[in-house]
Structure formats: structure tokens, C-alpha cells
Amino acid sequence: PPAEPLTELRQAGGVRTIVLNNPRRRNALSLPMLQSLRRDLLHDVKSRELRVIVIAAKGPVFCSGHDLKELSSEDDVKHHSQVFELCAEVMTLIQKLPVPVIAKVNGLATAAGCQLVASCDIAVASEKSQFATPGVNVGLFCSTPAVALGRSLPRKVALEMLFTGEPLSAHEALMHGLVSKVVPEDKLEEETMKISQKICESSKSVLALGKATFYRQITQDLDTAYKITTKVMVDNLTLRDGQEGLEAFVQKRKPVWSH
């Protein structure tokens, strides 16, 4: 039989769900998996119908990170560079997309899989989920996962994960800010959809502006951040939906977004 696609895409009610679909390989981020994920993330991304993206996975492992067999010495440096460069492209793409991206985690997320969770805008995890960067145990320090991890977690927590390879439980991940919410496994779908549907109630253009601005200002010093966001608040008022929202508030009615 033909091989199943490495990712599955479905979309309804403004919510696109991308499912990592290679549980036999622990949903490893092989070069083909990364290519498939990038394609699904970018598919018709400017459509007004697309409001939020959810990244989920089949099987007990959300994502095990890079396929270590693919990184063996049998492959050349050019191939290794291609894998890591595409991975970095996908991780940064998530934050550049004009819609919020939610990681829906039910199981283990390690190395670049943990990086994927840290790169998403929001992460909802089941209580059984765990997060680790165990590359040090196989002689390949998780340097690229450390970029996302170091921007999501306190430095000392991130470095303990990177130096020891020991996992964080879901509740530890919540306490340190790696995930947004932790729920029982049987409530994971419900909670993820609840957040997604709430996002869908807002204007896509307003959210796109807000998301882009958040990531732009977060790396700046305080004065620069306020200069950037002050201008954006003024720009926001020039958007059709910015005016519509204020008019609806004054008129005590629900806004009708043009997106």
C-alpha cells in the first residue's frame, strides 16, 4: 500500500489542525517530515477562513526531535546542514505566521520536538506529557532547541534540561512557562478547541498585527519596545476592524469583522 502522509491537514470553522502522522518513528522531524509540516503551515495561509493552527500528533510521542539515523556519519555535511536549516526555518515560520499557532501535546516531546512546543504561541498539554532535551546523552547537545527553550524558560531551568537531559513533567513545564495549560488527557481536545474558538471570535487582521508586534518588541529594550508598540497602536486604529470594534463597543453591539 502507498505510504501514509507524514502530516495530515484538516480544517473546519477557521481552525486548521496539522497532525504529525508517523508514530512508528516517534514523529521524528526528518527532512521529509519538516518539509510536510512547512507545506501544511503555509497552505493558503492568507485565507480569511484560516484563523488558528493547531499542531497535534498521533501516538504516545508528540515528537522525538530529529531522526538520529538521518544524522549518522553516512550522510554528508551538506545533508546535515539542510536538516538543521529547514528545522530553524519551520520554527521561525511559526512565529511569523499571521495566525496564532497552538501545540496540542499528548505525550513525550524531546529535543527538536520540545523546540517545536516552545516555538508555538500557545501550548496545551495533557497531564501525562513530558518535555526533555536529551541530546547531551548521545553526544549531540541540543543547541538549536536551546534557542526556543532559552526564550521560553528561565535560564537556569533551560540549562538544567540541556545539561542533564532530564525531563520536565507537564506541571513543571506549566510552572516554568513552557506550556500554557495542563489538563487531563480526556479534556485535551476540548480545552484546545475552547482556546481556538475564542481566537476565532476576533479579527484576523488585528491578531496578525498584534502577533507580529509582540515578537518584534519582545527582544528590544523597554524604551524601544514602547516606541514600536505606540506606533502600532496608532496603526491599529487605522484598520477597518480597529474602527469597527470601537464603533461596536460604543453602540453596544457585537462587531462584524472584515478580517
Side-chain angles (χ1 to χ4, degrees):
E4 289 191 23
L6 291 172
T7 59
E8 293 180 352
L9 184 154
R10 56 179 181 267
Q11 188 169 323
V15 182
R16 172 177 302 168
T17 301
I18 301 170
V19 182
L20 306 183
N21 185 39
N22 193 11
R24 285 186 295 179
R25 297 291 301 154
R26 296 160 60 91
N27 294 314
L29 294 178
S30 62
L31 188 61
M33 174 69 92
L34 287 165
Q35 290 167 337
S36 187
L37 179 57
R38 178 178 61 179
R39 185 169 57 248
D40 287 351
L41 286 169
L42 287 172
H43 174 72
D44 205 16
V45 74
K46 294 183 179 179
S47 164
R48 285 198 295 179
E49 279 65 52
L50 176 63
R51 313 301 303 288
V52 62
I53 294 174
V54 175
I55 299 177
K58 284 188 181 176
V61 176
F62 174 79
C63 179
S64 62
H66 291 294
D67 187 337
L68 295 182
K69 288 185 177 179
E70 192 178 47
L71 302 179
S72 69
S73 57
E74 294 173 11
D75 285 309
D76 60 18
V77 171
K78 185 178 178 182
H79 178 79
H80 297 162
S81 296
Q82 192 179 5
V83 171
F84 289 119
E85 286 167 7
L86 179 55
C87 185
E89 181 187 335
V90 169
M91 300 301 168
T92 54
L93 170 63
I94 287 170
Q95 294 182 358
K96 292 174 182 175
L97 291 173
V99 296
V101 181
I102 303 173
K104 175 186 167 188
V105 187
N106 188 29
L108 187 63
T110 61
C114 188
Q115 179 185 4
L116 179 59
V117 176
S119 298
C120 288
D121 304 310
I122 297 171
V124 185
S126 69
E127 292 173 328
K128 75 175 189 180
S129 299
Q130 289 187 303
F131 306 86
T133 48
V136 68
N137 298 330
V138 295
L140 184 64
F141 196 87
C142 286
S143 293
T144 45
V147 175
L149 216 61
R151 284 161 169 75
S152 296
L153 292 166
R155 184 177 299 182
K156 288 177 173 61
V157 177
L159 285 170
E160 182 180 344
M161 290 180 70
L162 292 160
F163 290 157
T164 68
E166 289 296 304
L168 289 184
S169 69
H171 286 289
E172 287 171 327
L174 176 64
M175 178 175 66
H176 294 304
L178 181 58
V179 302
S180 320
K181 287 196 175 180
V182 174
V183 295
E185 185 177 5
D186 62 355
K187 298 289 185 184
L188 183 60
E189 173 68 17
E190 178 185 333
E191 186 61 35
T192 305
M193 288 307 298
K194 180 180 173 184
I195 296 169
S196 299
Q197 287 162 0
K198 185 64 181 175
I199 289 169
C200 287
E201 292 176 10
S202 297
S203 160
K204 179 172 182 175
S205 55
V206 170
L207 286 178
L209 178 64
K211 175 176 171 174
T213 305
F214 178 85
Y215 286 113
R216 185 176 161 212
Q217 65 82 26
I218 199 68
T219 58
Q220 306 295 321
D221 64 79
L222 197 62
D223 288 341
T224 305
Y226 272 117
K227 283 178 184 174
I228 291 169
T229 53
T230 297
K231 183 180 183 305
V232 171
M233 293 291 284
V234 174
D235 292 342
N236 195 153
L237 289 172
T238 68
L239 294 179
R240 187 188 305 175
D241 281 350
Q243 288 299 312
E244 166 61 17
L246 293 175
E247 288 174 12
F249 177 79
V250 171
Q251 296 168 9
K252 297 182 179 179
R253 60 174 174 81
K254 289 192 75 171
V256 180
W257 304 124
S258 67
H259 306 297

